[in-house]
Amino acid sequence: MTTDVTEITVIGDDDTGLVARVTSLLFERGVNIEDLDQAVRDGLFRMYLAVDTSEMVCTEETLREDLHELGTDLGLDVQVRFPADRETQQIAVLVTKESHCLEALFEAWANDDLGADIGVVIGNHDNLQPLAEHYGVPFHDIGDEKGRQNEDELLELLAEYDADLIVLARYMRILSPNVVFRYEDRIINVHPSLLPAFPGAEAYRQAVDEGVRVAGVTAHYVTTDLDQGPIITQRAFDVPDDADVDLLKRRGQPLEADALLEAVRLHLNGDVSVHRGRTTVRENGTNYQLGLPEELEEVTPDRPVDGIGSVVADEN
């Protein structure tokens, strides 16, 4: 990401005094805290800090070692990412059986149109291993016979391949707080509905059952609340009278790949930021298509507008 801040993530069992111990260490070394966010879920503590290290009184390596030593003393896992650590970003893609989103990512990567390297593909089934091997990317199956993921193995792989961004390319498993907290605002998922409508499983079937006239897809950051993370991009399509689930999938899958790829590019370029649960596109990201194409503005009614009529205006 195009940001000069150093990112520090602290994960561990919840206890008193953790915030004070970490922030005191940073203060003593001349590190300025620009942003701090903390949360506790199911007894698991997470703290994220964005800090300015430009005037600190120690080296980067010393700060990293001191934070890791403090983490060991407190039983915490501390990750430190300096700006230079993010110059060549690594993507870990999580998949299940559907290939369309992974294919779009690989195609963009092969055409030097992604802005990062796809370092590894991780699946809870091995169906897409041949596709990864075709592009020369390591594939790891972390699922059992029923597709249940081994999260310890997942975390080991994410660390081994030094993942900067995790992309859920139709990965059909829920990540626990132990994973999400470690990669806050660095996990992007695509969901087959216009969130917040129809979260959870069988979103296309939910849309058919509710008789919607417009359906769509959403790429969003993953949080510990299922399908409620900050929305990045959305795409929409019409639903015919006789639409069934298969038709919605055929119409939605290309848009899933498109919305996910656009969201990944926004993130990698540093063109999107998250504040209070909402995403904001920075000035240099105004050329992105976050929703409907501009051509549709020409057919969108712009009148009447409440209060624009002369009679209403005179009455007011």
Side-chain angles (χ1 to χ4, degrees), residues 153-168:
E153 185 178 358
L154 173 60
L155 287 171
E156 289 175 1
L157 289 169
L158 294 175
E160 177 184 345
Y161 288 94
D162 197 20
D164 295 291
L165 175 65
I166 303 169
V167 179
L168 308 187

Side-chain angles (χ1 to χ4, degrees), residues 161-221:
Y161 288 94
D162 197 20
D164 295 291
L165 175 65
I166 303 169
V167 179
L168 308 187
R170 299 300 287 132
Y171 184 63
M172 309 303 289
R173 302 298 298 184
I174 297 174
L175 299 177
S176 77
N178 195 34
V179 177
V180 175
F181 277 174
R182 295 170 191 274
Y183 294 91
E184 192 83 7
D185 295 336
R186 290 195 284 145
I187 308 175
I188 296 178
N189 181 46
V190 63
H191 183 75
S193 81
L194 291 173
L195 291 173
F198 312 135
E202 300 288 345
Y204 285 135
R205 183 172 300 281
Q206 293 182 63
V208 170
D209 291 345
E210 293 297 329
V212 301
R213 293 300 185 180
V214 176
V217 305
T218 303
H220 64 97
Y221 284 112

Side-chain angles (χ1 to χ4, degrees), residues 8-313:
I8 302 171
T9 304
V10 181
I11 304 289
D13 293 335
D14 188 29
D15 199 357
T16 58
L18 299 180
V19 175
R21 293 289 299 275
V22 176
T23 55
S24 295
L25 184 151
L26 297 175
F27 174 77
E28 292 168 359
R29 286 150 184 79
V31 177
N32 182 49
I33 299 174
E34 296 189 353
D35 187 27
L36 187 154
D37 183 60
Q38 59 177 316
V40 177
R41 191 68 176 263
D42 298 332
L44 187 67
F45 169 81
R46 187 269 302 168
M47 179 169 61
Y48 166 84
L49 303 99
V51 303
D52 180 5
T53 55
S54 61
E55 298 184 6
M56 67 178 177
V57 296
C58 65
T59 65
E60 291 184 354
E61 188 58 33
T62 297
L63 179 63
R64 193 192 302 269
E65 291 176 355
D66 289 347
L67 284 168
H68 286 168
E69 183 178 338
L70 177 63
T72 301
D73 292 342
L74 298 176
L76 302 172
D77 179 16
V78 182
Q79 302 174 10
V80 185
R81 301 171 71 239
F82 293 101
D85 297 335
R86 303 189 298 270
E87 289 179 355
T88 302
Q89 300 184 79
Q90 296 291 321
I91 298 175
V93 185
L94 274 58
V95 298
T96 296
K97 296 181 179 181
E98 297 181 20
S99 67
H100 53 287
C101 288
L102 180 59
E103 290 182 54
L105 291 165
F106 272 143
E107 183 176 347
W109 180 50
N111 293 330
D112 293 325
D113 192 27
L114 191 57
D117 287 333
I118 298 177
V120 64
V121 177
I122 304 170
N124 63 319
H125 293 280
D126 62 2
N127 297 63
L128 300 186
Q129 183 170 351
L131 181 59
E133 292 177 345
H134 174 75
Y135 283 91
V137 175
F139 182 94
H140 295 269
D141 181 3
I142 61 166
D144 62 14
E145 65 279 358
K146 294 184 178 180
R148 292 172 297 202
Q149 65 200 6
N150 183 327
E151 282 205 344
D152 290 337
E153 185 178 358
L154 173 60
L155 287 171
E156 289 175 1
L157 289 169
L158 294 175
E160 177 184 345
Y161 288 94
D162 197 20
D164 295 291
L165 175 65
I166 303 169
V167 179
L168 308 187
R170 299 300 287 132
Y171 184 63
M172 309 303 289
R173 302 298 298 184
I174 297 174
L175 299 177
S176 77
N178 195 34
V179 177
V180 175
F181 277 174
R182 295 170 191 274
Y183 294 91
E184 192 83 7
D185 295 336
R186 290 195 284 145
I187 308 175
I188 296 178
N189 181 46
V190 63
H191 183 75
S193 81
L194 291 173
L195 291 173
F198 312 135
E202 300 288 345
Y204 285 135
R205 183 172 300 281
Q206 293 182 63
V208 170
D209 291 345
E210 293 297 329
V212 301
R213 293 300 185 180
V214 176
V217 305
T218 303
H220 64 97
Y221 284 112
V222 173
T223 65
T224 54
D225 296 312
L226 180 64
D227 295 330
Q228 296 183 41
I231 292 170
I232 309 172
T233 58
Q234 292 185 301
R235 301 286 189 269
F237 59 90
D238 284 326
V239 179
D241 289 341
D242 58 349
D244 58 14
V245 174
D246 288 338
L247 176 60
L248 261 63
K249 285 184 177 179
R250 289 196 299 273
R251 292 197 170 190
Q253 283 186 345
L255 297 181
E256 292 172 18
D258 185 62
L260 180 62
L261 185 57
E262 198 78 354
V264 168
R265 287 178 175 140
L266 275 165
H267 176 91
L268 292 173
N269 290 341
D271 290 337
V272 63
S273 62
V274 180
H275 181 65
R276 297 185 183 276
R278 292 176 59 91
T279 56
T280 300
V281 180
R282 305 181 196 276
E283 291 183 3
N284 58 337
T286 54
N287 291 327
Y288 286 98
Q289 178 196 340
L290 299 185
L292 297 174
E294 294 182 358
E295 294 78 24
L296 288 184
E297 292 186 4
E298 299 178 2
V299 297
T300 301
D302 62 357
R303 297 174 70 91
V305 176
D306 188 30
I308 200 172
S310 58
V311 175
V312 175

